[in-house]
Structures are given as C-alpha cells and as structure tokens.
Amino acid sequence: AEGVFTYDPGFVSTAACESQITYIDGANGILLHRGYPIEQLAEKSDYLETCFLLLHGELPTPEESEKFRNTVKNHTMVHDQVIHFFNGFRRDAHPMAIMCGVVGALSAFYHDSMDFSDQEHREIAAFRLIAKMPTLAAMCYKYSMGQPFMYPRNDLSYSENFLHMMFGTPCEEYQPNKTLAKAMDRIFLLHADHEQNASTSTVRLAGSTGANPFACIASGIAALWGPAHGGANEAVLTMLEEIGDEANIPEFIEKAKDKNDPFRLMGFGHRVYKNFDPRAKVMRQTCNEVLTELGLEDDPLLKIAMRLEQIALEDEYFVKRQLYPNVDFYSGIILKAVGIPVSMFTVIFAMSRTIGWFAHWNEMISGSYRIGRPRQLYTGYTKRDYPTE
Ligand code: SDX
C-alpha cells in the first residue's frame, strides 16, 4: 500500500545470545555438550552426570557425582499442597496443560524464600527442578488414570524411580526393569539440551526480565508443547499409526510434499540440522536394542518407521531440502514399548529438557545481561493523519 515501509534485505538481527553450554554444527550433524560429543555421552554417561556437566561445565569427580545424586534424591518429593492443583483439572486434561500449571505454581512455594542473585539458591532451584519434574510428570499420569500418586523411592535410580512412580501401585512394590530404565535414561540424556531452540530461547527471554526460574521453566514447557517442536514425538506416533501399513507409506510421502496440504512428515526436518540429527542415530540404535531385548523386534510401527526413513531419504524432494530424521522420529517407538501413553510423550521431553533450560537460564543470570527485546521489521503504514470529516 502507498507509504508502507518495505523490508530491507540488508537487515541483520543482532539478537544472537552467547553460550558455552552446547554446540551444534547443523551441516555436519555434530552436537557437543560442553565439548563432549552426544554419541560418547549416550554411550558412557547417564542423565544425572550429563545434568552436572551441563550445569557446571565439567564432568563430576566420583565424590561430586555421589553428592549430586544424593542431593537430587533429597528433593524428589513435592509439597503435599501441590496435590490440590491437580484436583482442579479434569481427569482428561492434556498432561502438558497440567505441567504448565503446576511447574509455574512451584513459584508459589519457593519464590519468596529464594534470592536468585545468590548462586547457592540457584543451585537449590536446579536440584528442586531436576528432582521434582519426574514426580510431577508421574502425578499427571496417575491423575489421568484415577490411581493414587506414588511417593518417590530413594533406593532406586533416577529413571527406575520415574518408572516406579508411573507404573507402581500401593498394592505391590514396583520391580525395576533394567532394560526399560536404561532406555528411559538414554531418552532423558538425548533430550537434555539443544542450544537455543524455541523453548530454550523462551526461557532465556523470560529469565532476562528477572522472572523466577520456576516461572521461566513453565514458559519453556508451554513453548515446547507445539507440534513443530516438542509435540512432534507425540505427532510421529500418531502419524505412524495412521500410516498403519508399509504399503501406505508412498501416499503419506506424497501428502508431505503437497504444498496445498498442511501435513508434514513428523519427526523429519530441523531448523538447524541439514544432515542427520546425531541424536536420531543414537535413538534408532537404542530403539532396536530395546525392542530386541523386549522381544518386540518385529514391532509393526518400528518396521513402518524404518521403511519410511529409507523411502524419504531416497526421495528427491527430501534429499534436495536436506530433510533427515530428527530426535523425535524414533523416541516415540521406544516410549510406547516402555508403556508410556502417547499423551505423555511431550511431558517426557519437557522433563528431560528442564536441565537444558535451567543451565541456559543460570548461565545468563550468572553473568551480565539485559532484558531481551527481539528486533522487529516494521512493514506497516508510515505515519498518517486521522480523517478530518
Ligand atoms: C525439535 O530447534 C531445535 O533444536 C528443536 C529440537 C530440540 O531438541 O529442541 O531439535 C526439537 O523441535 C525437532 C523438530 C521436531 N518437529 C518435527 O519433526 C515437525 C516436522 N518438521 C517440520 O515441521 C520442520 O522440519 C521444522 C519445523 C522442524 C523445521 O522447519 P523449517 O526450518 O521452517 O523448515 P524449512 O522451512 O527449512 O523447510 C525447508 C523446506 C520447506 O519446503 P519449501 O518451502 O522449500 O518447498 O522443507 C519443507 C518445507 O515445507 N519441510 C518439510 C518438512 N520439514 C520441512 N516437508 C515435509 N515434511 C517435513 N517434515
């Protein structure tokens, strides 16, 4: 329209944020946490050790590791009043809606008693979030099932305890399944951090206003929920179930290529990776290991996923656009094998990513920072006067 500003292609955003936590090379499919390749961490480390690494920048000594794990165990319970938040939700409420609410509400228990300019208080907040997220997540599941909440057990590992709170009942003691616990730990680790993605950037922006970490993490949960981001793992399972048979794959591939159809191949493509997402490779290997150990190697969804990946990677549309499987493509098959309902998939992602969100928030708060204010490209009307008659 006459007088409308036009976009200057020479404009370059200066909104990049510095960080030393995670490095991604999207062209070469490289992901480093504090310099360590994700493949090596997945093979040799575990989720809590990776939490320590992301927070402190170095792998823990055996003494530091034991102290870190024991401190997490001391924070796994939530205030009994938190139960009343759950009672306000319908039983069929999406667990991500509940997590947005109850994690933000943790501010009401800790906000006044903590000074986040104090590094020690920030570290306590980290322990509270790392420890309580599994408890709250399991409470979402139990609430939807109409089953009693299970208290955490400090004799179990982090992932065993999560499975106990999810699937245990007061009627019989949960016997941890080492295969399932290892699979969950691997999933937690692979989702722990991923540089400044949409939800992490949301947490940093919220943190730049001085908001408390519980409120900032709640904003990250809300951003993660979208199907283009963390909601994709839930959408991948739904897509694989809709495909239903390998014979139907070509039809879905064509749908994904059709510009007039909003359907996208869920679990494919990435804002940064224009090569294989290194997490997807580890996830596919874990998927095969877990299903084989569980005697599910002939799982039809796994067969469909592997065939879909093979066809897509040979299709000119996907090859030309450098679309590869991302972290979400195989994770849902593992979660389904563990017995996690599809509605909980993104909650698992949020639980895992809490340490990444916190590490980025803490890194920014610990240094000098200013309130975030993303630049706008105004393309609206120039100044004009209100009509006189
Ligand atoms: C996560 O940022 C992070 O780090 C996120 C994450 C993390 O750990 O935090 O890695 C987690 O969010 C992984 C992504 C999960 N989302 C999905 O799997 C949803 C399906 N993927 C797409 O929605 C898409 O690939 C995105 C959202 C992930 C990326 O979107 P982009 O970067 O805007 O994609 P693009 O515009 O660069 O795509 C280029 C072309 C386009 O076609 P043309 O306009 O060039 O003709 O590829 C097409 C897109 O239409 N395209 C796809 C596609 N993804 C992109 N076509 C079909 N299926 C797809 N999945």
Side-chain angles (χ1 to χ4, degrees), residues 194 197 228-229 259 265 267-268 270-271 279 321 326 353:
H194 206 240
N197 54 81
H229 191 11
K259 291 305 169 194
L265 213 48
F268 260 76
H270 198 274
R271 258 347 238 120
R279 301 167 297 174
R321 291 166 176 79
N326 59 48
R353 185 54 56 87

Side-chain angles (χ1 to χ4, degrees), residues 24 190-191 193-200 224 226-233 235-236 253 255-257 259 263-274 277 279 317-318 320-323 326-329 349 353:
I24 298 174
L190 290 172
H191 287 85
D193 187 51
H194 206 240
E195 199 228 66
Q196 299 192 37
N197 54 81
S199 54
T200 302
L224 185 75
H229 191 11
N233 55 13
V236 167
I253 292 276
K255 262 172 70 73
K257 292 152 64 171
K259 291 305 169 194
F263 172 74
R264 288 283 176 273
L265 213 48
M266 300 318 281
F268 260 76
H270 198 274
R271 258 347 238 120
V272 176
Y273 289 121
K274 301 309 172 189
D277 178 336
R279 301 167 297 174
Y317 173 95
F318 291 87
K320 181 181 160 199
R321 291 166 176 79
Q322 299 173 297
L323 302 176
N326 59 48
V327 69
D328 294 307
F329 191 62
F349 195 152
R353 185 54 56 87

